[in-house]
Structures are given as C-alpha cells and as structure tokens.
Amino acid sequence: MSPNPAELTSVVGGVGTSPHRPDAILKVRGEFAYASDLWHEDMIWGATLRSPHPHARIVSIDLSDALLVPGVHAVLTHEDVPGRNIYGLERADQPVLAEDVVRYQGEPVALVAADHPETALRAMKRIKVGYEVLTPVVDMESALGDTPLHPGGNLVRHVPIRRGDPDARAAVVVTGRYEVGMQDQAFLGPESGLAVPAEDGGVDLYVATQWLHVDQAQVATALGLPPALVRLTLSGVGGAFGGREDLSMQVHACLLALRTGKPTKMVYNREESFYGHVHRHPAVLHYEHGADRDGKLVHVKARIYLDGGAYASSTPAVVANAATLGVGPYVVDNVSIDAWGVYTNNPPCGAMRGFGAVQAAFAYESQMDRLAEALGMDPVDLRIANAMSEGSAMPTGQVVDSAAPVARLLELVRDKPLPPTGTDLLDLPGGVANTTHGEGVVRGVGYAVGIKNIGFSEGYDDYSTARVRLQVVGGEPVALAHTAACEVGQGLVTIVQQIVRTELGVTRVTVLPMDTSIGSAGSTSASRQTYVTGGAVRAACAAVKARLAELAAGRHVDDLAALLGDEVVDETAEWRHRPTEPIDPVTGQGNAHVQYGFAAHRAVVDVDVELGLVKVVELDCAQDVGRALNPQAVLGQIQGGTAQGLGLAVMEEIRTTGGVVRNPSFTDYLIPTALDMPPMRIDVLELADPNAPYGLRGVGEPPTISSTPAVVAAIRAATGRALNRVPVRPEHITSTERPRGAPA
Amino acid sequence: MRVNVTVNGVPRRADDVWEGESLLFVLRERLGLPGAKNACEQGECGSCTVYLDGVPVCACLVAAGQAEGREVRTVEGLADGGALDPVQEAFIEAGAVQCGFCTPGLVVAAHDLLARVPDPSDPEIREALAGNLCRCTGYEKILDAVRLAARRARS
Ligand code: FES
Ligand code: FES
C-alpha cells in the first residue's frame, strides 16, 4: 500500500498550508538555544585580537604580558595553527590568523582563552603587536593597477558578456555612473559557537552557520584533522542573509578548545560582528543604454566594479551574477558587459541576500528611468515594452524556460490604488522629531523590477541529502527527517515537515537537529534550500514509499500503522537540480543558471525636500513564487527582503576612510525600524516551474533586489535629483551641487 | 560582588559578579536565563528587553549592581509553566517569528504596550516597538501579532 494521493493533499499541515513553526514555542518563550546561549560545565571564553590597520606588516608579536594575566588559559598566534593556515569559500587566500601581513582592519591576529570574557579581553589588550603600517589600496576602480595585495595581483575575477553587435547604434542613448555603498547583513544573533574537545582527539563544534559541511572541510584543513574528527552541529541561528557563509570564529574556537582541553565559547559583540563577517560588495557601475524612438532597447553596455576587499570569499560568483544578470529582466539583443571583482584593503565582501544582482539592479533600473525620461515615456510602459517573458534569451544566450511574468508583476504593482496623504505626524518625514507638518513635503512614486538566479550556478554540483525514517510510535505512524540544511530563521524546518506530511500522509513529523553526521545539504543561500533540500526530502519520501509498496505486496492493509507493524523504514536520498554549465570565459555565453526569480516593487515616498528626510509611505510588491509551499513564510520573506532593500536605499552603509570602518555599531549603522518600514500590499503569483519540486521558485532574494531601486526612483520623482548613489543621504537631496556622475 | 534580585517571582543570588557586568550578563550567564538576547549590548536593539520593577528596560544597559533588591521579569516569566501569554500566542499565529532573535525583546515590549494601551493604533504600535530591531520580518507580521493580541484581549 502506498497512501493515496488524494489524501496526501488534504493532510493537515502539508504543502500549501501555513502550519506553525516547530521552533516557534521555544522562540517566543526565550527557550530556543541560539549559539550565543550555549553553556558547558567547565567552559572557558575565547577572544580575538584584531588588526587596527587596514594594511600593515607584522614585525613582532609579544605574548608574554598576556600570558601573565590570572585566569588566562591560552594565547595563540598563527604559529599554533596545526594545519593549513589558509582558507576560503571559493579560493583559499585568507589566513586563520595573520602571519606577516594584515590586509584589512579587523583581521584576526591572535586568540586568547580565559575563564571570564572580561579576563580574555584584558589579556588581549596586553598582547603587543608591532606593525609597520603600509598604504592601503582602497579604490576599486584603480585597484588593478595598484600595489598587489595577493601573489596573483588584485584581480579576483573578470566576467565579460558579449552578445549581438558590439557596434549597434541607437536613436536615444543614456549613460550613467552609479555607486552602491557597502551594506551589512546585520543579522541580530552575533557570531558565536562552542567548541568541545573530544576524547578521540577531535572536536565537536556547535555553531550558527549557513553551511555545515563547507565549514567542516575548512575547519578540518586548518586543524590538520580528518573531517570525521571535526563534527559540527547547528545551534540556533539568529539570522544570516549571507553573512555566515564564510568562517568567523569556527577555527578559532576549535584551536582554543583543542589547545586547552576545555570547552571554549566565543561570542562576538556587535562591533566585532561588523569585523567578523563579509559584507555586500560596494560597487561602481558605468552603464550605457540605447533604444529606438519607440523605447525598444537596442543595446546595453556596462563596466561594473565590485570591491571584494581583502579576501576573495564568494567574490567570483558575485561577479558572475552582476554580469549575467546585468541588463535585468529585459530583452536586449546587443550586450557588452564587463564585471571585475578586485582585492583592496577594505573589509572583505562576499555573500549578502541578492548577491551581485542587487548592485546591478540599482544601476539598470536607474538607467531605465533615465531612458524613459529621455524618450518622454512612462517608466512602467518602457519596462513593459522591454520585459522578458518565458522563452526570452538572457545576455548569456540562456533561454528562460519557465514563467517570467515581468510585465504582469509591473502591472500588478502599478494598478494598485495610491495611498492617501498621511495625517499622523508619524506618517511624515522626520516623524515625532516634529520637523514638518507637511510644508516642504513632496510625494514621489517609483517602480522597479529585478531578476535573480536561484541556486548555485556555472556547473556547480548543487545537491542536498535527506534522510526520512518512518515507524509506529504509540500506535501511530511517526516520521523523522534529518538533513544538514541550516535553518537560519527562514522556516526550512517547517517546510521539511510539510513535505514529509504531504508525501507520506503522516501528521507527526519530527525534524532532527542539523549536523554533519549526514551528507551535505549545500548552503542556505541563493534562495535554494526549499528547492534543493525540499527536493531531497521529497526524494527520501519517495524511497520510503517504494519500501512501503514492497511491504504491502500481496497483502491487503488499508492502514499505514498496521502495514508498518514493527518495521522501521529508513531511507536516505541525495537530490540535485538539473545541471548548469560554466559560462564561456571570453563571451560569457552558457546556460549558467538553474532558475530565475522575479519581483517588482512600487514605492511611494514623502520627501521633506528642505531637510532631505524621506518617509517611505508604502512599498508594494508582486512576486512569482512558482508555488507557495508555505504562504505565510513566503510573505515573511517578501516583507523581510523588502525591508533590507529599503535599508540599502536610504540608510544602510558601512562607511570607511582609508579602509577603516567608521560606524561599526547599531548606533551608527542604522537598519530599518518599525517606524521606517511602511505597510506593504503583496501579490503572490504561483506560476509553476515544471523543473522544480512542486513547481516552486526560490523566494528569499528577489524582493531585496527591486525594493532599493523602487525607493530611489520615488525619491527622484519627488526631488528631481539624479541620485546616482545608494544609500541616499539627506545631503544628496538638499545639496545644491550636481551629484558626481550625473549627466551634464 | 554579590547580587540579590527577584527574577520571575523567585529570589535569586549571583556570587562573584564583576562590577562591570550587566544585568543581561547576570541573567544569561549566571542565572541560567538566556531568554533576553544580546544583539548589540549597547542599548540600540531592544533584544534584551526585560521588566525591571514593572518598567521595560534594556538589560544590557543596567549594571548588575543596579538590580540589587529589585524585581526583574523576563520573557521566560511572562507565562506560567507550559502556558503561553496571549502575546506569545499571537506572535506564533501571525508568523511574526523567523530567526526569533528579536522575539523575546519584542514580546516583552508588546506585552508592556498592551498593558498600557489595550487598543493601540498602528502608529502607536510602531512607535512603541521602534526601539526593537528585527532584521528578518520587515515588522509587518509583528504588527499583525500585536493587533491580533489586542483584538483577542478585547473580545
Ligand atoms: S542588547 Fe540590549 S539593546 Fe541591544
Ligand atoms: S525574527 Fe530574526 S531578527 Fe526578528
């Protein structure tokens, strides 16, 4: 017997419904164990000494005073790294602890373990490091010709895209230079973890991360241990957004634990968190768009610079995204794009929600508005006239082979009624600061649409592993699901339960803790986990069902519990999405991506044009999600992703001077509050992708991409300013000078 | 030093407290109550919000010694045993919890708001929660949760 499909769809809490999260009760009661909540008998605390300089040679390190501090258990430097002192997500170029040179402010130089976090900090301050300060390389556009920071020079990756006629001529041409500031993921749960030395000479690490297996491999290499002796278990993760894809304290805590023989906990504070993870790449983007008089795009040319900072992290993939998605969701026959990711002495940059597509979208959507103005066309009409659809070719030549409802998404946000003018003080720019009662306030409306690749691209073997076990407990069939897929807040644990319920028709599903005792699930990034781990869970369920069919052969049982009896069915499956291809290194042509996601936003803003203050009044979104496996969680992703895009538009930027971070705190790095986020009206389309499990489309990133340019377009509409840089600050609105790079 | 404080109705004592420790540190690391969170430890995020003598405070900004002899109520003490406070229930039902790191602080802040203003307007909710950062949700579902809890309390 295998459960009948008609029953499956009706199972309580299955796919397409919004059951409560299995961790929700613990979370609202304050009982969910985040990485920073971990505790162990006998535990000691680790701390990290970091470079104060963005670029310096290390001349000497003197640990003697630090070692004298009572309560200190260990003080370590690069000499204490037993394995390879170099690691990296895509390219090993970053030391676990700096050796002869530091390449960014905040680079780890030494570690301390002590019995109290304060003792560790005091000892840390007694470590004497002699530095010979070097001139930092900080300008991404000139970095390629500057002092080489790594043996191979300062180029991390160059991706060219060439399609059509390079000399195509257009009746109307607009150009622009755009800048995107360095955004931070600003997840609330600081980097933390607990490393426990094991009797077998290995270590158990409990940590908040996005990808257990890639951490495991890097930690094992640095420790000089076989991976089997480095066991990772996911502890509670307080948000991630890309910022936990690279290592932070993982190797450090393990080094201290193995050296002292004591469980070692490390928790970053907020300032250290700003130094402890990679950020969104700042970018400079030069664009030229050409169109005929009817607004049909003829060509797009672009030169895109992405500042990777001191180490490569995921810069190569970010560069590929910026290039391959560089014209946006539009049909353009003639494309010439070059994107460069470079090394500098700025903070390292890597993954953040939107991953290269965010930077490009700010530029191409700004260009679409500029083009509409030059043509005297409505900006939404211009976009619709050029919108791609199913069957369109990307600049890489890849044909988009499932729904691409770009025009419809734009129509949906455009056709909503506009909000009334606010009456409450809180509705106005400046809010309760009481800076205006409406005088000097101008309303603006702006639109944007964006495109994102879902999943890992360019031929990467992108798979996940899931194990599903089914047995009778207390007379009832109960399923257990196990993966290594990191739950970072998005709700994958709920999705896994829903899939098992739907596939097996059982209501009781337990999700085991995620760890490295099972095969890799890949990264919780690229909007891919519901797709790929969801696919693996479904495949494991299919194997369970096949086993049930064997059990049922020749018998007549119409009840799952009776069929199972004492039998325990336990199946593991590995599942991968359809393969992708590398892109050609000269032309950028190739079927690089698995799936594309699209979202559109309309922003309505009120701007106090005298003070430069912006109030986003409403931020509506339309997105195609293929199939909403959990409609409530889908809305949560759209709302949260939109908020991060709003943050980049008007407030969020890590500001640096000569490579030194000037605002590593929530006092000076602002993220949207409940007063900054406006209400949202959301349209969710469900146009199934036949290639994906249940027809789903990755959800997490597209809303972050279009919200930034929509908000800026609205501010432009209100102020008439060019606003070529995000985040837009008050002085950009009030300044009497023409912003740099604005058209003459 | 030694700190005596009543936490969630129970008299507690913490020994060997260093003068520089915050109430947040004492709750989390010495009294086994990690519910209040540590997202910034600078008074900017609200993740550490607890009641101190009935008034919501950022526990990271309260020196441990300042709590001597006073009453603290944390998110762990909002409901008895296995029960949930209506605000906690509403957060679950509205989908206001993603990573949940902001949740304990927001639950306490919303609990306090509804105790003072049973039927808050949207601007009042936003204003009351403006000191509590959430990076995951965009606040929409947190507002839904507060509205839901208020509506339930009225009916
Ligand atoms: S941890 Fe206390 S306000 Fe942020
Ligand atoms: S749910 Fe993650 S910070 Fe609010």
Side-chain angles (χ1 to χ4, degrees):
Chain A
M1 179 207 88
S2 85
N4 139 9
E7 287 165 18
L8 297 189
T9 46
S10 63
V11 64
V12 175
V15 164
T17 68
S18 302
H20 298 165
R21 303 174 59 101
D23 55 13
I25 291 181
L26 288 176
K27 284 180 173 176
V28 298
R29 292 169 61 94
E31 290 167 356
F32 184 75
Y34 294 90
S36 49
D37 300 336
L38 301 174
W39 187 88
H40 199 288
E41 194 83 48
D42 232 12
M43 171 180 103
I44 56 173
W45 296 78
T48 314
L49 179 70
R50 295 172 182 277
S51 165
H53 307 295
H55 194 198
R57 217 181 312 281
I58 297 178
V59 189
S60 60
I61 304 183
D62 178 0
L63 308 178
S64 47
D65 280 2
L67 285 162
L68 292 176
V69 176
V72 166
H73 290 257
V75 184
L76 308 181
T77 67
H78 67 90
E79 290 178 1
D80 301 295
V81 177
R84 235 183 125 203
N85 185 29
I86 191 156
Y87 72 94
L89 212 47
E90 296 186 26
R91 169 179 310 185
D93 63 356
Q94 182 161 7
V96 172
L97 292 169
E99 295 187 10
D100 49 346
V101 62
V102 285
R103 296 185 179 86
Y104 72 97
Q105 181 214 13
E107 179 157 356
V109 176
L111 304 169
V112 179
D115 52 14
H116 189 285
E118 187 59 29
T119 313
L121 290 180
R122 284 179 183 178
M124 204 179 84
K125 290 191 181 126
R126 293 180 183 222
I127 299 173
K128 294 192 201 80
V129 184
Y131 291 104
E132 179 194 330
V133 174
L134 303 170
T135 308
V137 174
V138 293
D139 177 45
M140 66 183 104
E141 288 187 274
S142 60
L144 289 180
D146 210 326
T147 317
L149 302 174
H150 288 271
N154 291 341
L155 178 65
V156 181
R157 189 178 181 189
H158 168 221
V159 174
I161 307 281
R162 302 282 181 267
R163 184 160 181 83
D165 176 4
D167 302 315
R169 297 250 172 272
V172 180
V173 173
V174 293
T175 61
R177 177 184 187 277
Y178 302 92
E179 281 183 37
V180 176
M182 185 187 294
Q183 190 179 19
D184 189 67
Q185 297 83 354
F187 43 71
L188 287 202
E191 289 85 346
S192 3
L194 175 70
V196 184
E199 284 185 1
D200 60 4
V203 60
D204 291 282
L205 177 63
Y206 302 84
V207 68
T209 182
Q210 291 180 230
W211 189 355
L212 289 164
H213 284 79
V214 84
D215 283 9
Q216 180 190 38
Q218 294 178 91
V219 174
T221 306
L223 296 178
L225 288 173
L229 289 185
V230 178
R231 296 162 291 257
L232 275 77
T233 302
L234 188 71
S235 48
V237 184
F241 318 115
R244 298 187 205 268
E245 218 176 26
D246 293 80
L247 295 182
S248 57
M249 47 56 66
Q250 285 87 332
V251 182
H252 299 161
C254 292
L255 283 172
L256 291 169
L258 289 171
R259 174 61 74 94
T260 61
K262 285 179 177 295
T264 306
K265 177 169 168 174
M266 293 186 89
V267 180
Y268 290 180
N269 65 20
R270 182 52 51 184
E271 179 179 358
E272 190 169 20
S273 178
F274 275 98
Y275 301 124
H277 61 257
V278 300
H279 314 290
R280 186 189 301 292
H281 291 71
V284 174
L285 310 98
H286 303 262
Y287 267 74
E288 176 182 309
H289 278 59
D292 66 23
R293 298 236 172 256
D294 300 329
K296 182 91 193 77
L297 283 169
V298 174
H299 72 262
V300 172
K301 294 181 185 169
R303 283 177 298 121
I304 300 171
Y305 296 89
L306 294 148
D307 186 349
Y311 296 102
S313 179
S314 48
T315 295
V318 169
V319 173
N321 271 12
T324 58
L325 307 172
V327 306
Y330 303 112
V331 177
V332 192
D333 291 335
N334 306 300
V335 176
S336 174
I337 294 178
D338 289 278
W340 293 272
V342 299
Y343 286 123
T344 66
N345 293 113
N346 289 317
C349 288
M352 182 175 172
R353 195 177 198 167
F355 203 81
V358 163
Q359 293 91 333
F362 173 61
Y364 65 67
E365 285 300 82
S366 299
Q367 282 284 98
M368 291 303 276
D369 285 340
R370 191 165 284 180
L371 186 60
E373 200 184 327
L375 287 159
M377 256 179 104
D378 173 81
V380 176
D381 290 345
L382 174 70
R383 285 175 170 84
I384 290 175
N386 291 287
M388 66 162 46
S389 53
E390 186 167 351
S392 299
M394 295 289 293
T396 55
Q398 181 168 23
V399 172
V400 178
D401 64 357
S402 70
V406 176
R408 182 135 169 244
L409 296 172
L410 284 162
E411 287 160 3
L412 282 167
V413 291
R414 179 191 63 193
D415 294 344
K416 284 189 200 312
L418 282 161
T421 308
T423 47
D424 194 288
L425 199 53
L426 284 180
D427 295 331
L428 290 167
V432 285
N434 203 5
T435 49
T436 176
H437 288 258
E439 54 296 349
V441 174
V442 182
R443 176 155 290 191
V445 179
Y447 296 86
V449 61
I451 178 170
K452 178 70 184 44
N453 56 324
I454 308 299
F456 279 30
S457 300
E458 297 186 77
Y460 188 85
D461 181 21
D462 193 17
Y463 70 95
S464 180
T465 317
R467 173 179 158 226
V468 173
R469 175 182 161 118
L470 183 64
Q471 69 189 105
V472 176
V473 178
E476 210 191 315
V478 175
L480 206 109
H482 186 201
T483 74
C486 295
E487 166 63 51
V488 299
Q490 80 279 41
L492 184 68
V493 284
T494 325
I495 295 287
V496 167
Q497 287 184 316
Q498 291 178 255
I499 292 174
V500 175
R501 290 190 190 118
T502 289
E503 295 299 325
L504 299 182
V506 299
T507 41
R508 283 177 58 194
V509 182
T510 303
V511 178
L512 287 183
M514 300 92 193
D515 59 28
T516 50
S517 72
I518 183 168
S520 177
S523 178
T524 294
S525 64
S527 307
R528 67 178 279 289
Q529 281 297 19
T530 298
Y531 191 137
V532 188
T533 291
V537 170
R538 193 171 67 158
C541 288
V544 168
K545 283 195 279 191
R547 178 76 192 111
L548 290 176
E550 284 169 29
L551 288 176
R555 293 161 65 191
H556 186 81
V557 219
D558 53 2
D559 170 73
L560 183 57
L563 172 66
L564 276 164
D566 294 336
E567 195 80 27
V568 177
V569 180
D570 195 327
E571 299 288 345
T572 299
E574 211 175 83
W575 189 85
R576 37 189 42 81
H577 58 66
R578 58 189 174 143
T580 58
E581 298 166 0
I583 49 174
D584 184 280
V586 176
T587 64
Q589 300 297 295
N591 294 322
H593 299 310
V594 187
Q595 187 189 51
Y596 295 98
F598 305 91
H601 279 90
R602 181 184 71 187
V604 181
V605 303
D606 282 338
V607 183
D608 182 330
V609 294
E610 288 152 19
L611 297 177
L613 300 176
V614 175
K615 169 71 190 174
V616 182
V617 175
E618 198 170 79
L619 195 45
D620 293 336
C621 181
Q623 183 172 343
D624 172 33
V625 304
R627 168 111 189 254
L629 264 54
N630 183 319
Q632 190 184 61
V634 162
L635 292 178
Q637 286 299 307
I638 295 174
Q639 292 157 345
T642 297
Q644 291 180 3
L646 180 150
L648 178 59
V650 294
M651 61 183 81
E652 291 186 34
E653 183 177 9
I654 295 182
R655 299 178 75 171
T656 58
T657 306
V660 174
V661 176
R662 288 161 51 195
N663 56 342
S665 73
F666 280 164
T667 313
D668 298 313
Y669 183 96
L670 301 181
I671 65 173
T673 69
L675 285 172
D676 299 310
M677 259 311 279
M680 291 185 68
R681 286 175 297 183
I682 297 171
D683 285 303
V684 172
L685 296 185
E686 295 186 82
L687 308 176
D689 177 350
N691 299 300
Y694 306 105
L696 73 86
R697 200 174 286 286
V699 173
E701 292 171 287
T704 305
I705 294 164
S706 41
S707 99
T708 306
V711 170
V712 178
I715 303 173
R716 282 191 198 108
T719 62
R721 298 272 168 184
L723 305 179
N724 294 326
R725 187 181 198 286
V726 281
V728 174
R729 292 196 287 266
E731 61 266 31
H732 300 152
I733 293 170
T734 56
S735 149
T736 47
E737 283 168 41
R738 191 168 54 83
R740 194 149 68 106
Chain B
M1 65 180 181
R2 168 176 293 180
V3 177
N4 296 286
V5 53
T6 301
V7 185
N8 300 329
V10 182
R12 302 288 302 268
R13 191 179 87 193
D15 287 317
D16 302 324
V17 174
W18 170 67
E19 282 72 10
E21 284 179 20
S22 65
L23 172 61
L24 181 65
F25 187 89
V26 169
L27 289 170
R28 291 175 50 79
E29 304 296 339
R30 298 192 181 276
L31 299 177
L33 290 167
K37 291 288 168 268
N38 56 326
C40 77
E41 297 172 271
Q42 286 185 312
E44 295 289 352
C45 75
S47 73
C48 61
T49 308
V50 300
Y51 283 112
L52 181 63
D53 290 341
V55 179
V57 296
C58 292
C60 69
L61 292 184
V62 177
Q66 281 178 277
E68 174 65 34
R70 299 172 76 177
E71 300 251 357
V72 172
R73 193 173 176 202
T74 71
V75 68
E76 289 101 330
L78 286 188
D80 293 331
L84 292 176
D85 181 86
V87 173
Q88 293 171 317
E89 273 173 10
F91 266 66
I92 296 176
E93 285 174 40
V97 180
Q98 288 189 31
C99 85
F101 209 81
C102 65
T103 306
L106 272 158
V107 164
V108 173
H111 186 268
D112 170 65
L113 168 67
L114 294 178
R116 291 183 289 113
V117 188
D119 188 10
S121 65
D122 279 5
E124 282 173 312
I125 301 174
R126 288 185 189 275
E127 180 67 13
L129 302 184
N132 290 77
L133 299 177
C134 172
R135 190 52 157 169
C136 301
T137 65
Y139 305 101
E140 284 282 89
K141 294 196 181 301
I142 293 170
L143 261 80
D144 288 346
V146 178
R147 293 183 198 116
L148 176 64
R151 200 161 61 234
R152 289 230 178 106
R154 286 200 300 278
S155 60

